Amino acid sequence: MVLDVDLDDLLSPEAIDHPMRFYRRLRETAPVYWNPRWNGWVVTGHREVAQVFLNHAKLSSDRFAGPFGASLSGEASQYQQLFSFLSKFFVWKDQPYHTRVRSLVNKAFTPRSVEVLRPRVQELVKELVEPLRGGTEVDFLAQFAFTLPVVVIAEFLGVPPEGRYQMREWSDDLGAVIFVRGNDADRMRKGEQAMNELVEFLRPVVAARRAHPRDDLLSRMVQAVDGDDVLTDDEVIANAILMVFAGHETTMNLLANSMVVFDRFPGEWRRLRADPSLARTAADEMLRYDGPIRAMARWATEPLEIGGEQIAEGDRVLLVQAAANHDPASFADPERLDIGRRPNRHTTFGQGIHICLGAPLARLEAEEAFLALSRAFPRFTVHEQELHYNPTVVSRSLTQLHITFHE
């Protein structure tokens, strides 16, 4: 155990590589903690995090207003295309824009449309499992965790096959902006270039879907109608980019993080192999135990109280799901992996009006991946002696992961 930890340094090696330990210390110090370095409140208690997620009336998600908008104002004029389209992401907006766009996107992105994908996901997973055989070391991020979600979200959207992997590269450059990677000083310039390329690539595809709809998400988005309201081309493009990014990046990290956790709890791997019906609860337990999202940010539109602390209008608030999901006040034996855990009220997908739209797709991909991998391989070996993660406050993503699967 590290004795001297700077609880204000959210990008320290301890916070990045050992967040359970770091945020446990922080939660035990104060579940609602003023961090002068981040210049805002850090919320780590499960009850408090849930309270903030549900209070959208007083806590804004708008990243282009309030204290977050003020810090971006200088860069927005320099990187106009990047910020123009990021500002159309419905997840970063409040009512009424959020409600309007999400309602229209919901008409296209339905749970039923996701479940229809299951046979195709099963087929893809089967194809990706075969190269893992043979008992040789594989780059799991590149050979499995990267490929499955990028193909799934691209096919779901209706992105032309020739653009799928290029879109992933552009998405990665956007990730450095969205997740504020502390080791990439050039992230804004690369993000602007990536956004230019993505918009140029998607604009003719969206136009083609308006003229000749197909059975894909882009077609359903351009056809979505609520009264007289429809999504503009720029809104379709922006939120398609959001789905590519969110649908790929987070699921890739969920799959990789899960294999690390299963390596630490081999009894749960054997349990899943013996009882495949546990795949659904296993996916939710992995989302709780070491999910792909560490934290989400909000800011106060008016004064309020959270966990006994007085939050002033304009204060920034960081909701640390990684800590809330390990709060012993809400989860029995939270440091233990239990793939049959019920109930499992984890906060990884958020709550309230901003709950993650892509949750059913992430669960589906994780379930099918866990099923296929556990059936094919009784055990596996993670080769990294020490795991390292990308230095961001809001995401949990490994820098590398090498595994040998044993038949």
Side-chain angles (χ1 to χ4, degrees), residues 97 100-105 108 210 220-226 229-236 239:
Y97 181 89
R100 171 187 160 261
V101 174
R102 176 159 182 149
S103 175
L104 286 162
V105 173
R210 284 205 188 276
R220 291 191 290 273
M221 287 172 70
V222 300
Q223 292 179 302
V225 177
D226 189 358
D229 193 16
V230 297
L231 295 169
T232 67
D233 280 4
D234 281 2
E235 287 170 342
V236 172
N239 288 287

Side-chain angles (χ1 to χ4, degrees), residues 97-162:
Y97 181 89
H98 168 270
T99 305
R100 171 187 160 261
V101 174
R102 176 159 182 149
S103 175
L104 286 162
V105 173
N106 265 334
K107 293 177 182 298
F109 199 142
T110 64
R112 182 176 179 180
S113 71
V114 171
E115 186 57 35
V116 168
L117 295 174
R118 191 176 293 275
R120 176 58 177 149
V121 173
Q122 292 170 337
E123 180 183 322
L124 286 169
V125 168
K126 184 178 179 180
E127 292 173 6
L128 291 171
V129 163
E130 289 308 306
L132 306 181
R133 298 185 187 275
T136 58
E137 181 180 320
V138 299
D139 181 343
F140 185 76
L141 278 169
Q143 291 185 229
F144 191 99
F146 164 90
T147 307
L148 176 63
V150 77
V151 174
V152 169
I153 194 62
E155 289 188 359
F156 187 35
L157 275 166
V159 172
E162 61 272 16

Side-chain angles (χ1 to χ4, degrees), residues 134-259:
T136 58
E137 181 180 320
V138 299
D139 181 343
F140 185 76
L141 278 169
Q143 291 185 229
F144 191 99
F146 164 90
T147 307
L148 176 63
V150 77
V151 174
V152 169
I153 194 62
E155 289 188 359
F156 187 35
L157 275 166
V159 172
E162 61 272 16
R164 290 172 188 167
Y165 292 98
Q166 184 63 59
M167 284 191 72
R168 165 60 180 90
E169 293 179 16
W170 296 327
S171 172
D172 192 53
D173 284 340
L174 284 182
V177 175
I178 293 169
F179 289 145
V180 194
R181 288 182 192 151
N183 60 345
D184 190 351
D186 200 27
R187 62 181 181 272
M188 288 298 181
R189 183 195 62 78
K190 290 190 289 187
E192 172 79 3
Q193 183 176 341
M195 187 64 83
N196 285 332
E197 299 280 1
L198 276 162
V199 172
E200 184 178 331
F201 174 76
L202 284 171
R203 195 173 293 284
V205 180
V206 170
R209 294 300 187 273
R210 284 205 188 276
H212 304 287
R214 299 182 184 179
D215 185 18
D216 57 38
L217 184 57
L218 278 175
S219 297
R220 291 191 290 273
M221 287 172 70
V222 300
Q223 292 179 302
V225 177
D226 189 358
D228 295 328
D229 193 16
V230 297
L231 295 169
T232 67
D233 280 4
D234 281 2
E235 287 170 342
V236 172
I237 291 167
N239 288 287
I241 290 169
L242 167 64
M243 290 176 196
V244 169
F245 172 78
H248 174 265
E249 180 87 7
T250 55
T251 305
M252 177 182 72
N253 294 332
L254 171 61
L255 294 173
N257 295 353
S258 296
M259 297 310 293

Side-chain angles (χ1 to χ4, degrees), residues 22-73:
F22 176 85
Y23 284 112
R24 181 172 66 245
R25 294 278 299 276
L26 184 54
R27 188 180 58 245
E28 290 170 352
T29 300
V32 182
Y33 176 91
W34 175 260
N35 184 319
R37 192 172 306 183
W38 189 68
N39 193 29
W41 297 94
V42 179
V43 184
T44 52
H46 182 270
R47 182 176 62 85
E48 292 82 5
V49 166
Q51 173 191 348
V52 174
F53 271 131
L54 293 171
N55 194 353
H56 62 270
K58 294 185 179 181
L59 288 146
S60 173
S61 298
D62 196 335
R63 297 294 293 273
F64 299 91
F68 295 110
S71 66
L72 292 174
S73 59

Side-chain angles (χ1 to χ4, degrees), residues 74-115:
E75 292 175 320
S77 61
Q78 185 176 356
Y79 303 107
Q80 294 182 12
Q81 182 90 319
L82 174 65
F83 285 96
S84 172
F85 279 86
L86 288 179
S87 68
K88 293 179 178 65
F89 283 12
F90 73 87
V91 297
W92 280 356
K93 304 294 282 187
D94 297 328
Q95 296 174 314
Y97 181 89
H98 168 270
T99 305
R100 171 187 160 261
V101 174
R102 176 159 182 149
S103 175
L104 286 162
V105 173
N106 265 334
K107 293 177 182 298
F109 199 142
T110 64
R112 182 176 179 180
S113 71
V114 171
E115 186 57 35

Side-chain angles (χ1 to χ4, degrees), residues 118 122-123 125-126 129-130 133 259 269-279 367-380 405-407:
R118 191 176 293 275
Q122 292 170 337
E123 180 183 322
V125 168
K126 184 178 179 180
V129 163
E130 289 308 306
R133 298 185 187 275
M259 297 310 293
W269 184 256
R270 293 190 294 270
R271 185 182 174 195
L272 176 61
R273 183 175 166 85
D275 185 359
S277 70
L278 290 169
E367 288 171 32
E368 296 302 332
F370 297 164
L371 280 172
L373 289 166
S374 62
R375 283 176 184 150
F377 307 111
R379 61 188 183 89
F380 60 91
F405 290 91
H406 307 287
E407 297 180 78

